[in-house]
Amino acid sequence: MIEEREVLFANSYLLRASEILKGNPEIYENFLSVLCKYHQSTRPPVELYKELKEVLKDYPTLMRDFIIFLKPEQAKECGKYKEHVALNRIREFFWKIEVHFKHQPQYITRILRTFAQLQQQVDITSAEVITALQPLLRNQSHLMEELYNLLPDVNPPEYLMTDFEAVNMPNSDEDNSSVDSCEDIVIPDIPDPYGGKDCPCDCHNSSSDNRMLNKSRHCVKCGVRLRSLYRLISYRLQVLLP
């Protein structure tokens, strides 16, 4: 399934390249020639990126989209690690949309068409993106929160801005005989209901997803509390246990 998705993604990129370069057949032929030569050789992908960068120097959009085909370490070597991370997050967002609306293919088409229209606009703002997509993602709070996290000038939700915990680890070279080797964890008598079967989060009342309604699935807001607790306990166990 993953390999099939990757092939479709690559074919989509080639189709988009043919559309963009159809007015310049010479560059398009050079573009295909570079790809064919690379496919028949053992050259590293970084060299392919540098060669394509020269061929597509007047088409920054195609070069930007090509970054997604690199591995993280390769993108870092090309000086495009930040862009690689951003593109992967966008790609994962589309996958989540595909999974969520898998029984509504026409709805997925509407969302993708809206994204395509937004991509054609110049100097588009985050507010305009939200205005265009919010009606399509209505009642899907987890997808809207994913969208907010993709927009660079939108502040993260307040519930993610929690205080951090400072843990002072003793130096192994020092005498630790006086340092207690264990840590007491106080479990409250009343468990946190968020993330459980009695979760009081509003997302379960406003969603059309049956899994959200029966509280077997949670939004980021109520699910992050449970995951944070698991991570905290896991971390402390790793520290305390040999």
Side-chain angles (χ1 to χ4, degrees), residues 102-118:
K102 62 181 179 180
H103 298 303
Q104 299 173 273
Q106 295 180 346
Y107 205 78
I108 295 177
T109 302
R110 288 180 57 191
I111 296 175
L112 295 179
R113 187 182 299 116
T114 302
F115 268 104
Q117 293 171 351
L118 292 172

PDB file of all heavy atoms in Angstrom, residues 102-118:
ATOM      1  N   LYS A 102     -12.246   8.455   3.840  1.00  0.00           N
ATOM      2  CA  LYS A 102     -12.043   7.371   2.872  1.00  0.00           C
ATOM      3  C   LYS A 102     -13.347   6.873   2.255  1.00  0.00           C
ATOM      4  O   LYS A 102     -13.340   6.317   1.153  1.00  0.00           O
ATOM      5  CB  LYS A 102     -11.300   6.212   3.531  1.00  0.00           C
ATOM      6  CG  LYS A 102     -12.031   5.562   4.694  1.00  0.00           C
ATOM      7  CD  LYS A 102     -11.194   4.449   5.295  1.00  0.00           C
ATOM      8  CE  LYS A 102     -11.893   3.805   6.488  1.00  0.00           C
ATOM      9  NZ  LYS A 102     -11.061   2.718   7.078  1.00  0.00           N
ATOM     10  N   HIS A 103     -14.456   7.061   2.948  1.00  0.00           N
ATOM     11  CA  HIS A 103     -15.750   6.644   2.408  1.00  0.00           C
ATOM     12  C   HIS A 103     -16.464   7.792   1.685  1.00  0.00           C
ATOM     13  O   HIS A 103     -17.617   7.632   1.270  1.00  0.00           O
ATOM     14  CB  HIS A 103     -16.640   6.113   3.531  1.00  0.00           C
ATOM     15  CG  HIS A 103     -16.080   4.904   4.228  1.00  0.00           C
ATOM     16  ND1 HIS A 103     -15.756   3.737   3.562  1.00  0.00           N
ATOM     17  CD2 HIS A 103     -15.757   4.698   5.533  1.00  0.00           C
ATOM     18  CE1 HIS A 103     -15.276   2.858   4.420  1.00  0.00           C
ATOM     19  NE2 HIS A 103     -15.255   3.413   5.620  1.00  0.00           N
ATOM     20  N   GLN A 104     -15.784   8.926   1.562  1.00  0.00           N
ATOM     21  CA  GLN A 104     -16.356  10.088   0.881  1.00  0.00           C
ATOM     22  C   GLN A 104     -15.347  10.634  -0.138  1.00  0.00           C
ATOM     23  O   GLN A 104     -14.813  11.726   0.029  1.00  0.00           O
ATOM     24  CB  GLN A 104     -16.714  11.175   1.901  1.00  0.00           C
ATOM     25  CG  GLN A 104     -17.741  10.739   2.939  1.00  0.00           C
ATOM     26  CD  GLN A 104     -17.921  11.783   4.020  1.00  0.00           C
ATOM     27  OE1 GLN A 104     -17.209  11.803   5.015  1.00  0.00           O
ATOM     28  NE2 GLN A 104     -18.881  12.670   3.824  1.00  0.00           N
ATOM     29  N   PRO A 105     -15.068   9.880  -1.192  1.00  0.00           N
ATOM     30  CA  PRO A 105     -14.053  10.310  -2.170  1.00  0.00           C
ATOM     31  C   PRO A 105     -14.373  11.643  -2.826  1.00  0.00           C
ATOM     32  O   PRO A 105     -13.462  12.409  -3.157  1.00  0.00           O
ATOM     33  CB  PRO A 105     -14.037   9.165  -3.192  1.00  0.00           C
ATOM     34  CG  PRO A 105     -15.339   8.454  -3.002  1.00  0.00           C
ATOM     35  CD  PRO A 105     -15.680   8.591  -1.555  1.00  0.00           C
ATOM     36  N   GLN A 106     -15.652  11.930  -3.019  1.00  0.00           N
ATOM     37  CA  GLN A 106     -16.016  13.207  -3.628  1.00  0.00           C
ATOM     38  C   GLN A 106     -15.660  14.372  -2.707  1.00  0.00           C
ATOM     39  O   GLN A 106     -15.275  15.453  -3.169  1.00  0.00           O
ATOM     40  CB  GLN A 106     -17.510  13.230  -3.956  1.00  0.00           C
ATOM     41  CG  GLN A 106     -17.918  12.222  -5.025  1.00  0.00           C
ATOM     42  CD  GLN A 106     -19.402  12.269  -5.324  1.00  0.00           C
ATOM     43  OE1 GLN A 106     -20.182  12.849  -4.575  1.00  0.00           O
ATOM     44  NE2 GLN A 106     -19.797  11.648  -6.420  1.00  0.00           N
ATOM     45  N   TYR A 107     -15.759  14.131  -1.415  1.00  0.00           N
ATOM     46  CA  TYR A 107     -15.415  15.178  -0.449  1.00  0.00           C
ATOM     47  C   TYR A 107     -13.911  15.426  -0.452  1.00  0.00           C
ATOM     48  O   TYR A 107     -13.460  16.568  -0.338  1.00  0.00           O
ATOM     49  CB  TYR A 107     -15.887  14.766   0.943  1.00  0.00           C
ATOM     50  CG  TYR A 107     -16.128  15.927   1.870  1.00  0.00           C
ATOM     51  CD1 TYR A 107     -17.284  16.695   1.760  1.00  0.00           C
ATOM     52  CD2 TYR A 107     -15.197  16.273   2.843  1.00  0.00           C
ATOM     53  CE1 TYR A 107     -17.508  17.767   2.600  1.00  0.00           C
ATOM     54  CE2 TYR A 107     -15.416  17.342   3.688  1.00  0.00           C
ATOM     55  CZ  TYR A 107     -16.575  18.086   3.562  1.00  0.00           C
ATOM     56  OH  TYR A 107     -16.783  19.156   4.389  1.00  0.00           O
ATOM     57  N   ILE A 108     -13.132  14.351  -0.583  1.00  0.00           N
ATOM     58  CA  ILE A 108     -11.678  14.499  -0.677  1.00  0.00           C
ATOM     59  C   ILE A 108     -11.320  15.325  -1.909  1.00  0.00           C
ATOM     60  O   ILE A 108     -10.434  16.184  -1.866  1.00  0.00           O
ATOM     61  CB  ILE A 108     -10.998  13.115  -0.735  1.00  0.00           C
ATOM     62  CG1 ILE A 108     -11.228  12.354   0.571  1.00  0.00           C
ATOM     63  CG2 ILE A 108      -9.504  13.258  -1.002  1.00  0.00           C
ATOM     64  CD1 ILE A 108     -10.651  10.952   0.568  1.00  0.00           C
ATOM     65  N   THR A 109     -12.025  15.074  -3.009  1.00  0.00           N
ATOM     66  CA  THR A 109     -11.776  15.831  -4.240  1.00  0.00           C
ATOM     67  C   THR A 109     -12.046  17.313  -4.034  1.00  0.00           C
ATOM     68  O   THR A 109     -11.290  18.170  -4.512  1.00  0.00           O
ATOM     69  CB  THR A 109     -12.662  15.288  -5.378  1.00  0.00           C
ATOM     70  OG1 THR A 109     -12.392  13.892  -5.563  1.00  0.00           O
ATOM     71  CG2 THR A 109     -12.385  16.031  -6.673  1.00  0.00           C
ATOM     72  N   ARG A 110     -13.098  17.635  -3.304  1.00  0.00           N
ATOM     73  CA  ARG A 110     -13.411  19.043  -3.023  1.00  0.00           C
ATOM     74  C   ARG A 110     -12.299  19.701  -2.218  1.00  0.00           C
ATOM     75  O   ARG A 110     -11.897  20.842  -2.494  1.00  0.00           O
ATOM     76  CB  ARG A 110     -14.730  19.139  -2.255  1.00  0.00           C
ATOM     77  CG  ARG A 110     -15.976  18.848  -3.070  1.00  0.00           C
ATOM     78  CD  ARG A 110     -17.216  18.986  -2.206  1.00  0.00           C
ATOM     79  NE  ARG A 110     -17.303  20.308  -1.602  1.00  0.00           N
ATOM     80  CZ  ARG A 110     -18.175  20.628  -0.640  1.00  0.00           C
ATOM     81  NH1 ARG A 110     -19.016  19.705  -0.181  1.00  0.00           N
ATOM     82  NH2 ARG A 110     -18.201  21.847  -0.147  1.00  0.00           N
ATOM     83  N   ILE A 111     -11.788  18.983  -1.228  1.00  0.00           N
ATOM     84  CA  ILE A 111     -10.715  19.533  -0.397  1.00  0.00           C
ATOM     85  C   ILE A 111      -9.454  19.751  -1.222  1.00  0.00           C
ATOM     86  O   ILE A 111      -8.803  20.799  -1.137  1.00  0.00           O
ATOM     87  CB  ILE A 111     -10.434  18.598   0.796  1.00  0.00           C
ATOM     88  CG1 ILE A 111     -11.660  18.531   1.716  1.00  0.00           C
ATOM     89  CG2 ILE A 111      -9.210  19.073   1.578  1.00  0.00           C
ATOM     90  CD1 ILE A 111     -11.519  17.535   2.853  1.00  0.00           C
ATOM     91  N   LEU A 112      -9.104  18.760  -2.047  1.00  0.00           N
ATOM     92  CA  LEU A 112      -7.905  18.876  -2.877  1.00  0.00           C
ATOM     93  C   LEU A 112      -8.051  20.001  -3.898  1.00  0.00           C
ATOM     94  O   LEU A 112      -7.082  20.710  -4.195  1.00  0.00           O
ATOM     95  CB  LEU A 112      -7.630  17.548  -3.587  1.00  0.00           C
ATOM     96  CG  LEU A 112      -7.267  16.368  -2.681  1.00  0.00           C
ATOM     97  CD1 LEU A 112      -7.043  15.112  -3.516  1.00  0.00           C
ATOM     98  CD2 LEU A 112      -6.024  16.674  -1.855  1.00  0.00           C
ATOM     99  N   ARG A 113      -9.249  20.160  -4.434  1.00  0.00           N
ATOM    100  CA  ARG A 113      -9.482  21.238  -5.400  1.00  0.00           C
ATOM    101  C   ARG A 113      -9.314  22.600  -4.726  1.00  0.00           C
ATOM    102  O   ARG A 113      -8.742  23.532  -5.309  1.00  0.00           O
ATOM    103  CB  ARG A 113     -10.884  21.111  -6.000  1.00  0.00           C
ATOM    104  CG  ARG A 113     -11.136  22.106  -7.140  1.00  0.00           C
ATOM    105  CD  ARG A 113     -12.543  21.994  -7.687  1.00  0.00           C
ATOM    106  NE  ARG A 113     -12.791  20.668  -8.241  1.00  0.00           N
ATOM    107  CZ  ARG A 113     -13.693  19.820  -7.759  1.00  0.00           C
ATOM    108  NH1 ARG A 113     -14.423  20.154  -6.700  1.00  0.00           N
ATOM    109  NH2 ARG A 113     -13.869  18.643  -8.320  1.00  0.00           N
ATOM    110  N   THR A 114      -9.781  22.699  -3.494  1.00  0.00           N
ATOM    111  CA  THR A 114      -9.622  23.952  -2.751  1.00  0.00           C
ATOM    112  C   THR A 114      -8.152  24.248  -2.488  1.00  0.00           C
ATOM    113  O   THR A 114      -7.692  25.388  -2.626  1.00  0.00           O
ATOM    114  CB  THR A 114     -10.386  23.883  -1.416  1.00  0.00           C
ATOM    115  OG1 THR A 114     -11.771  23.623  -1.677  1.00  0.00           O
ATOM    116  CG2 THR A 114     -10.260  25.185  -0.651  1.00  0.00           C
ATOM    117  N   PHE A 115      -7.398  23.213  -2.114  1.00  0.00           N
ATOM    118  CA  PHE A 115      -5.961  23.393  -1.906  1.00  0.00           C
ATOM    119  C   PHE A 115      -5.278  23.847  -3.194  1.00  0.00           C
ATOM    120  O   PHE A 115      -4.391  24.708  -3.173  1.00  0.00           O
ATOM    121  CB  PHE A 115      -5.331  22.086  -1.422  1.00  0.00           C
ATOM    122  CG  PHE A 115      -5.269  21.966   0.070  1.00  0.00           C
ATOM    123  CD1 PHE A 115      -6.153  21.156   0.751  1.00  0.00           C
ATOM    124  CD2 PHE A 115      -4.317  22.660   0.798  1.00  0.00           C
ATOM    125  CE1 PHE A 115      -6.105  21.038   2.128  1.00  0.00           C
ATOM    126  CE2 PHE A 115      -4.255  22.552   2.172  1.00  0.00           C
ATOM    127  CZ  PHE A 115      -5.149  21.740   2.845  1.00  0.00           C
ATOM    128  N   ALA A 116      -5.669  23.253  -4.307  1.00  0.00           N
ATOM    129  CA  ALA A 116      -5.063  23.622  -5.594  1.00  0.00           C
ATOM    130  C   ALA A 116      -5.349  25.079  -5.932  1.00  0.00           C
ATOM    131  O   ALA A 116      -4.484  25.803  -6.441  1.00  0.00           O
ATOM    132  CB  ALA A 116      -5.585  22.702  -6.692  1.00  0.00           C
ATOM    133  N   GLN A 117      -6.565  25.529  -5.643  1.00  0.00           N
ATOM    134  CA  GLN A 117      -6.913  26.926  -5.903  1.00  0.00           C
ATOM    135  C   GLN A 117      -6.122  27.868  -4.999  1.00  0.00           C
ATOM    136  O   GLN A 117      -5.673  28.937  -5.434  1.00  0.00           O
ATOM    137  CB  GLN A 117      -8.418  27.123  -5.696  1.00  0.00           C
ATOM    138  CG  GLN A 117      -9.280  26.388  -6.718  1.00  0.00           C
ATOM    139  CD  GLN A 117     -10.756  26.422  -6.371  1.00  0.00           C
ATOM    140  OE1 GLN A 117     -11.149  26.855  -5.282  1.00  0.00           O
ATOM    141  NE2 GLN A 117     -11.590  25.962  -7.292  1.00  0.00           N
ATOM    142  N   LEU A 118      -5.930  27.469  -3.753  1.00  0.00           N
ATOM    143  CA  LEU A 118      -5.146  28.295  -2.831  1.00  0.00           C
ATOM    144  C   LEU A 118      -3.690  28.379  -3.270  1.00  0.00           C
ATOM    145  O   LEU A 118      -3.044  29.423  -3.133  1.00  0.00           O
ATOM    146  CB  LEU A 118      -5.229  27.720  -1.414  1.00  0.00           C
ATOM    147  CG  LEU A 118      -6.592  27.801  -0.714  1.00  0.00           C
ATOM    148  CD1 LEU A 118      -6.555  27.026   0.595  1.00  0.00           C
ATOM    149  CD2 LEU A 118      -6.972  29.252  -0.451  1.00  0.00           C
TER     150      LEU A 118
END
